[in-house]
């Protein structure tokens, strides 16, 4: 892969996404920040396919009334299946085909790690009341981003792409920030501060200004343990605390109780 006039490291196969959507322009949202840079550096590839270009009639219909009656419209099977086939042609490897819907398995960080091993993924973003069931018979999996109803699957697709892309080596500049994010570390993130040092009489904790990196790391671990204990204790139940982590948490709890008494 050429970057400027230098041959960079051997091109790794980019994580490839083919997104089926009636609103391709929504995927421009990926062109910002670290994901935008990953696209530019070809660590990630995202292309869209609009089922409307496969519509069979003069009105370019992609949805129709549901058999059996009922509210709303259903996305027609043929334009969707043709769009899937077109993306399968374009994918660098046999893609894993996913339909996004509230009925799917709920996506999380572990799922992200699993799914990105597929290397090529087709994400079908539904609209209206959903898609003709005969398309579902052809997909590999159904995934949900949460137990709620979106107007369209595009936001779900964007979310999944963002979460997986962040896990690619080098996408998030400092790997330690991925390592210390709450899911990877199993603890909530410690409190973060930046300039100014004093804001409305609230000072940045002096430890963070000390320059003692080992002490700062210990302070941050204590705060992460304490915050997790306060806000998401169930995460602690899943984590085997070391002796020093147990002592740090005990310190946090006694200081916290002392503050409550003040
Ligand atoms: C959804 C979700 C979701 C349902 C009707 C699109 C909408 C419309 N997708 N996780 N929750 N999809 O609500 O993935 O077709």
């Amino acid at each position: 892969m050429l970057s400027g006039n230098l041959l960079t490291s051997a091109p790794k196969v980019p994580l490839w996404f083919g997104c089926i959507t009636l609103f391709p322009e929504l995927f421009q949202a990926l062109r910002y920040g670290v994901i935008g840079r990953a696209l530019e550096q070809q660590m990630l590839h995202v292309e869209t396919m609009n089922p409307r270009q496969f519509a069979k009639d003069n009105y370019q219909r992609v949805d129709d009334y549901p058999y059996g009656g009922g509210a709303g419209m259903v996305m027609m099977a043929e334009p969707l299946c043709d769009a899937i086939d077109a993306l399968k042609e374009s994918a660098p490897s046999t893609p894993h085909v996913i339909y996004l819907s509230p009925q799917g398995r709920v996506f999380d960080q572990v799922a992200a790690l699993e799914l990105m091993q597929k290397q090529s993924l087709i994400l079908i973003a539904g609209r209206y009341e959903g898609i003709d069931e005969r398309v579902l018979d052809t997909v590999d999996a159904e995934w949900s981003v949460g137990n709620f109803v979106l107007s369209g699957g595009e936001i779900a697709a964007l979310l999944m792409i963002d979460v997986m892309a962040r896990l690619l080596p080098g996408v998030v500049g400092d790997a330690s920030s991925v390592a210390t994010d709450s899911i990877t570390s199993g603890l909530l993130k410690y409190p973060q501060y930046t300039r100014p040092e004093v804001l409305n009489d609230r000072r940045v904790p002096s430890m963070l200004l000390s320059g003692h990196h080992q002490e700062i790391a210990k302070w941050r671990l204590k705060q992460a343990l304490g915050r997790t204990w306060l806000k998401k204790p169930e995460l602690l139940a899943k984590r085997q605390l070391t002796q020093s982590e147990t002592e740090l948490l005990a310190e946090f709890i006694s200081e916290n109780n002392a503050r409550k008494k003040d």
Side-chain angles (χ1 to χ4, degrees):
M1 173 176 31
L2 282 179
S3 165
N5 57 1
L6 294 175
L7 187 63
T8 57
S9 60
K12 296 175 180 58
V13 177
L15 182 54
W16 185 93
F17 289 96
C19 303
I20 296 180
T21 173
L22 293 175
F23 301 109
E25 49 279 79
L26 284 175
F27 287 83
Q28 295 301 311
L30 294 168
R31 305 175 75 86
Y32 300 86
V34 294
I35 307 299
R37 268 203 298 283
L39 286 166
E40 284 162 16
Q41 292 166 9
Q42 297 178 6
M43 302 159 83
L44 172 70
H45 175 93
V46 180
E47 63 187 72
T48 58
M49 188 63 72
N50 190 334
R52 202 171 293 281
Q53 66 189 75
F54 300 97
K56 302 273 190 271
D57 66 338
N58 301 334
Y59 303 97
Q60 291 198 303
R61 287 198 76 113
V62 289
D63 63 298
D64 209 335
Y65 296 97
Y67 280 117
M73 305 296 274
V74 175
M75 288 184 82
M76 297 161 73
E78 285 174 293
L80 282 171
C81 290
D82 291 349
I84 292 169
D85 291 345
L87 280 176
K88 281 180 176 175
E89 289 296 309
S90 149
S93 58
T94 307
H96 185 70
V97 184
I98 292 171
Y99 174 53
L100 299 168
S101 106
Q103 299 183 23
R105 179 180 153 193
V106 178
F107 183 71
D108 60 13
Q109 198 83 0
V110 172
L113 284 163
E114 278 172 22
L115 288 174
M116 63 195 290
Q117 309 313 315
K118 306 287 185 185
Q119 281 298 333
S120 299
L121 296 113
I122 290 177
L123 304 179
I124 304 169
R127 282 271 159 175
Y128 313 114
E129 291 306 303
I131 66 175
D132 186 298
E133 191 68 12
R134 288 164 290 190
V135 181
L136 277 179
D137 301 340
T138 71
V139 307
D140 295 309
E142 200 169 356
W143 283 90
S144 168
V145 292
N147 296 320
F148 38 71
V149 180
L150 296 164
S151 309
E154 285 83 6
I155 290 177
L158 290 165
L159 181 151
M160 289 174 69
I161 292 169
D162 188 285
V163 173
M164 285 185 249
R166 285 177 55 80
L167 295 173
L168 289 168
V171 168
V172 177
D174 179 348
S176 69
S177 64
V178 178
T180 58
D181 79 21
S182 60
I183 305 295
T184 315
S185 69
L187 296 175
L188 298 185
K189 192 96 177 178
Y190 44 78
Q192 306 258 29
Y193 296 86
T194 189
R195 287 178 290 188
E197 217 176 289
V198 185
L199 181 68
N200 305 329
D201 295 335
R202 285 196 65 193
R203 308 187 68 83
V204 170
S206 54
M207 172 58 75
L208 297 179
L209 308 174
S210 68
H212 297 310
H213 297 295
Q214 208 166 356
E215 286 305 303
I216 288 171
K218 192 174 162 189
W219 181 89
R220 284 175 164 172
L221 176 57
K222 177 176 168 181
Q223 296 303 316
L225 287 161
R227 279 187 151 192
T228 309
W229 172 72
L230 284 170
K231 296 181 179 180
K232 291 205 170 196
E234 70 277 11
L235 289 180
L236 283 181
K238 291 180 192 163
R239 184 188 165 94
Q240 190 63 39
L241 296 187
T242 63
Q243 179 60 32
S244 63
E245 288 173 342
T246 305
E247 287 162 9
L248 282 174
L249 179 55
E251 251 178 62
F252 180 95
I253 293 171
S254 62
E255 289 161 7
N256 184 65
N257 292 339
R259 264 199 305 277
K260 277 187 188 164
K261 289 195 181 93
D262 289 355

